[in-house]
Amino acid sequence: MTRIFFNEVVTRDGFQIEPGFVPTDDKVALVDALSDCGFAKIEVTSFTSPKAIPMLRDAEEVMGRIRRVPGVEYTVLVPNVRGAERALESRADELNIVMSTSETHNLANLRMPRERSFAGLRDVIALAAGRVPVNVSLSTCFGCPMEGDVPRDEVLRWADRFAALGVRGLTICDTTGMAHPAQVQAMVQALRDRFAGLQLTLHFHNTRGMGLANVLAAVQGGIDRFDGSLGGLGGCPYAPGASGNISSEDAIHMLEAMGHDTGIDLPRLLAVARSLPALLGHDVPGQVAKAGRITDLHPAPEGVAELRRSLA
Amino acid sequence: MTRIFFNEVVTRDGFQIEPGFVPTDDKVALVDALSDCGFAKIEVTSFTSPKAIPMLRDAEEVMGRIRRVPGVEYTVLVPNVRGAERALESRADELNIVMSTSETHNLANLRMPRERSFAGLRDVIALAAGRVPVNVSLSTCFGCPMEGDVPRDEVLRWADRFAALGVRGLTICDTTGMAHPAQVQAMVQALRDRFAGLQLTLHFHNTRGMGLANVLAAVQGGIDRFDGSLGGLGGCPYAPGASGNISSEDAIHMLEAMGHDTGIDLPRLLAVARSLPALLGHDVPGQVAKAGRITDLHPAPEGVAELRRSLA
């Protein structure tokens, strides 16, 4: 049995691509509900330009109004120094910075080459030094939907550069669900050998149905931190109709069934997950909220009791 | 790299619970299309009473009209001796018999106690002896949605009884998606120790999102045969809104990505999977048919080329 830590990203990674703006009150209420579920971290929002991501234009207000539960770290995504200043003013517990290991994906997603991203993020790390820890999320570490393979050495090279700047944590992201379990096993081995002193987090998508298989492979390799998104929200514009991030509750349900300790109150989390379709006005991919836990039993159909009696 | 064998069950396990009757022509065309994809077996239909499963009332006609491709075994489900006689007349290559390891599930599903099921299936095995091989599919081996836990020893006890009667194969079914990977690992170990001489097949559902994680755990334990259902059709009346059987194409895609050889022509299989929504009039759970394979790349967005030029 391993203690496994979850970072819930639904209000950032999920809501940023929702077709409709989720009202600020609902965001605050959802973060507050998640705060009582036992997450190690909650990625609350993103301090990007309101023009770039209008769905998260209420970042300050959300951070100002959420209830801070001791033991939960409230982390936020910041793209640059301006975002980091806003995040620090909002008393974020951690800054999460992002860039892609694929040049093409970085150009497409962040509109700049990787080197320029790195230079900007170095300034963010300098600003945060001595104030809050920084986590770097590296995108497309298991493949780029435009370039294809991203060599593992390329991932490790970028990770090295951030490690040298003193980040606390490193999140290896399968941004578009291209990872498979054998690749995860090899990556995890390389990461653990090299970054034993860092918080190592894996971020999977379920785009091609492999999300929980990849979680399993990572846990087998000794990883104990994962990003998850309530309901499996989030996703990727390159795979229309496909699932998004792994569903936090499905991953946690699996790991708890296997005997691991996630620290999560699963019935409470499932109740929160079941509120999502009404909140968003659409179905969500998460399965356990629909099917119930494996321990949630059903009564036998009516005829069975009668059949038993007739046989006794 | 392991050779892994797939049994495609969509036209039996999937279609039997479709809300509408799939026309016989469409069933024949689908089996014929699947025959060219490289499956080891196809479970074509079920020789049950047309009253019990009206969706498969055309079993004889389907079996009579499909094209038999050398190397593919055309197996059918038979519930009793009458069904077995019909299956043999239809030149089935294998008879697949089914009962539950949970008494309550057997009463609910087959309307009789397990001992009566066993006695009837023993007669089917006797009838088939010297003519065609028999496979027994044991339901609810990883848990019963009404009783809960099904002890592993109970599963092994029923498997022993069928092995003693000379069945060729044993399919261990997670009928309602209750298996988790740690349980699969333990079950697979016990099965391989005990039934080394039998064809061992694992049958998983994705009801709670764990389907491919369970396939991974089984492959790690040395299992090389799986049931799968195209599109992830099938399922269970106890989990409304949840996924059904594991999607053949999603499982095959994962195993091929990991370097295993499934013998399947995946692009061809995906083309067949993509025909399902139009055939059935509804969306299906399979993910790879929607998202594409991990090797199916996308062009970079329009602005990227321009951005590259401006930076050069």
Side-chain angles (χ1 to χ4, degrees):
Chain A
M1 184 167 119
T2 312
R3 177 65 164 90
I4 295 176
F5 301 88
F6 269 80
N7 175 29
E8 173 56 62
V9 303
V10 65
T11 53
R12 200 283 296 169
D13 206 351
F15 285 1
Q16 75 178 7
I17 64 156
E18 273 300 303
F21 178 77
V22 178
T24 307
D25 286 352
D26 291 336
K27 286 174 179 150
V28 171
L30 181 57
V31 171
D32 285 349
L34 292 167
S35 283
D36 292 325
C37 290
F39 286 101
K41 287 187 198 179
I42 298 174
E43 189 170 83
V44 177
T45 187
S46 175
F47 284 94
T48 36
S49 143
K51 262 193 288 191
I53 305 184
M55 298 306 169
L56 302 183
R57 61 179 182 259
D58 54 2
E60 270 88 358
E61 192 180 350
V62 172
M63 282 296 282
R65 288 179 49 198
I66 56 169
R67 185 169 44 88
R68 308 284 180 115
V69 171
V72 182
E73 285 194 1
Y74 297 89
T75 183
V76 296
L77 192 146
V78 301
N80 51 34
V81 166
R82 177 67 197 112
E85 289 165 347
R86 292 168 59 202
L88 292 172
E89 282 160 29
S90 294
R91 297 188 302 113
D93 296 320
E94 181 194 77
L95 306 186
N96 184 30
I97 57 179
V98 181
M99 65 170 281
S100 296
T101 53
S102 149
E103 182 76 358
T104 306
H105 189 266
N106 208 71
L107 288 168
N109 198 41
L110 302 177
R111 316 297 304 162
M112 63 180 88
R114 291 174 298 175
E115 281 299 343
R116 212 164 93 204
S117 284
F118 181 77
L121 297 176
R122 191 174 49 206
D123 293 342
V124 170
I125 294 168
L127 178 73
R131 303 173 71 178
V132 294
V134 175
N135 183 82
V136 59
S137 289
L138 295 175
S139 303
T140 66
C141 290
F142 296 92
C144 167
M146 294 162 287
E147 289 188 8
D149 284 343
V150 173
R152 188 163 60 243
D153 283 349
E154 188 64 9
V155 174
L156 296 175
R157 184 173 74 87
W158 287 102
D160 279 341
R161 293 180 72 182
F162 282 103
L165 296 180
V167 297
R168 178 182 63 167
L170 182 61
T171 300
I172 300 297
C173 300
D174 180 27
T175 309
T176 62
M178 295 174 72
H180 61 75
Q183 190 185 17
V184 171
Q185 283 161 341
M187 178 69 84
V188 161
Q189 182 64 53
L191 292 169
R192 291 194 70 212
D193 289 349
R194 198 144 165 166
F195 302 109
L198 295 190
Q199 271 192 4
L200 284 177
T201 302
L202 273 287
H203 174 111
F204 291 120
H205 281 229
N206 196 36
T207 320
R208 292 165 179 89
M210 296 185 281
L212 295 201
N214 287 331
V215 169
L216 175 64
V219 168
Q220 288 173 340
I223 292 295
D224 65 356
R225 290 185 179 270
F226 293 93
D227 284 354
S229 180
L230 195 71
L233 287 186
C236 155
Y238 301 106
S243 283
N245 290 56
I246 57 163
S247 151
S248 304
E249 67 276 20
D250 288 4
I252 288 162
H253 171 265
M254 179 179 82
L255 294 170
E256 289 277 336
M258 294 176 69
H260 298 297
D261 172 19
T262 64
I264 299 287
D265 181 339
L266 187 56
R268 187 184 283 263
L269 181 63
L270 287 171
V272 182
R274 288 178 181 130
S275 73
L276 277 181
L279 176 64
L280 301 173
H282 60 76
D283 189 24
V284 301
Q287 287 292 311
V288 179
K290 292 166 191 151
R293 295 171 299 168
I294 57 178
T295 49
D296 293 335
L297 303 185
H298 298 260
E302 196 51 46
V304 167
E306 202 178 323
L307 201 53
R308 267 193 216 276
R309 273 193 302 273
S310 74
L311 296 163
Chain B
M1 184 167 119
T2 312
R3 176 66 163 89
I4 295 176
F5 302 87
F6 269 81
N7 175 31
E8 174 55 60
V9 303
V10 65
T11 54
R12 201 280 298 168
D13 206 353
F15 285 2
Q16 74 178 9
I17 65 155
E18 272 300 303
F21 178 78
V22 178
T24 307
D25 285 354
D26 291 336
K27 285 174 180 149
V28 171
L30 181 58
V31 171
D32 285 351
L34 292 167
S35 284
D36 292 326
C37 290
F39 286 101
K41 289 188 196 178
I42 298 174
E43 189 171 80
V44 177
T45 186
S46 175
F47 284 95
T48 35
S49 144
K51 262 193 289 190
I53 305 186
M55 298 307 169
L56 303 182
R57 60 178 183 258
D58 54 2
E60 269 87 359
E61 191 178 350
V62 173
M63 281 297 282
R65 289 177 51 196
I66 56 169
R67 184 170 45 86
R68 308 282 180 118
V69 171
V72 182
E73 285 194 0
Y74 298 89
T75 184
V76 296
L77 191 146
V78 300
N80 50 34
V81 166
R82 176 69 197 112
E85 288 166 349
R86 292 167 60 200
L88 292 171
E89 284 160 28
S90 294
R91 298 189 300 113
D93 295 321
E94 180 193 78
L95 307 186
N96 183 31
I97 57 179
V98 181
M99 64 170 281
S100 297
T101 53
S102 148
E103 182 76 358
T104 306
H105 189 265
N106 208 70
L107 288 168
N109 198 41
L110 303 176
R111 317 295 304 161
M112 64 181 89
R114 290 174 299 175
E115 280 301 341
R116 211 162 96 205
S117 284
F118 182 76
L121 297 175
R122 191 174 48 204
D123 294 342
V124 170
I125 295 168
L127 179 73
R131 303 171 74 179
V132 294
V134 175
N135 183 82
V136 58
S137 288
L138 295 176
S139 303
T140 65
C141 290
F142 295 93
C144 167
M146 294 161 287
E147 288 187 8
D149 283 344
V150 173
R152 189 162 61 242
D153 283 348
E154 188 66 8
V155 174
L156 298 175
R157 184 172 75 86
W158 287 101
D160 279 340
R161 294 181 73 182
F162 281 103
L165 296 179
V167 297
R168 178 182 63 166
L170 183 61
T171 301
I172 300 297
C173 301
D174 179 27
T175 308
T176 61
M178 296 174 72
H180 62 75
Q183 191 184 16
V184 171
Q185 284 161 339
M187 177 71 82
V188 160
Q189 182 64 54
L191 292 169
R192 293 193 70 215
D193 289 348
R194 197 144 167 166
F195 302 108
L198 297 189
Q199 272 191 6
L200 284 177
T201 302
L202 272 285
H203 175 110
F204 291 120
H205 281 228
N206 196 35
T207 319
R208 292 166 179 88
M210 296 185 280
L212 296 200
N214 287 331
V215 169
L216 174 64
V219 168
Q220 289 174 339
I223 293 294
D224 64 356
R225 291 186 178 269
F226 293 93
D227 285 355
S229 180
L230 195 72
L233 288 186
C236 155
Y238 301 107
S243 284
N245 291 57
I246 57 164
S247 151
S248 305
E249 66 276 21
D250 288 4
I252 289 161
H253 171 265
M254 178 179 83
L255 294 170
E256 289 278 335
M258 293 177 69
H260 298 297
D261 172 17
T262 64
I264 299 287
D265 181 339
L266 187 57
R268 188 184 282 265
L269 181 63
L270 287 171
V272 183
R274 287 179 181 127
S275 72
L276 278 181
L279 176 64
L280 301 174
H282 59 77
D283 189 24
V284 301
Q287 287 292 311
V288 178
K290 292 166 192 153
R293 296 170 300 168
I294 57 178
T295 50
D296 293 335
L297 303 184
H298 299 260
E302 196 52 46
V304 167
E306 200 178 325
L307 202 53
R308 269 193 216 276
R309 274 192 302 274
S310 75
L311 297 163

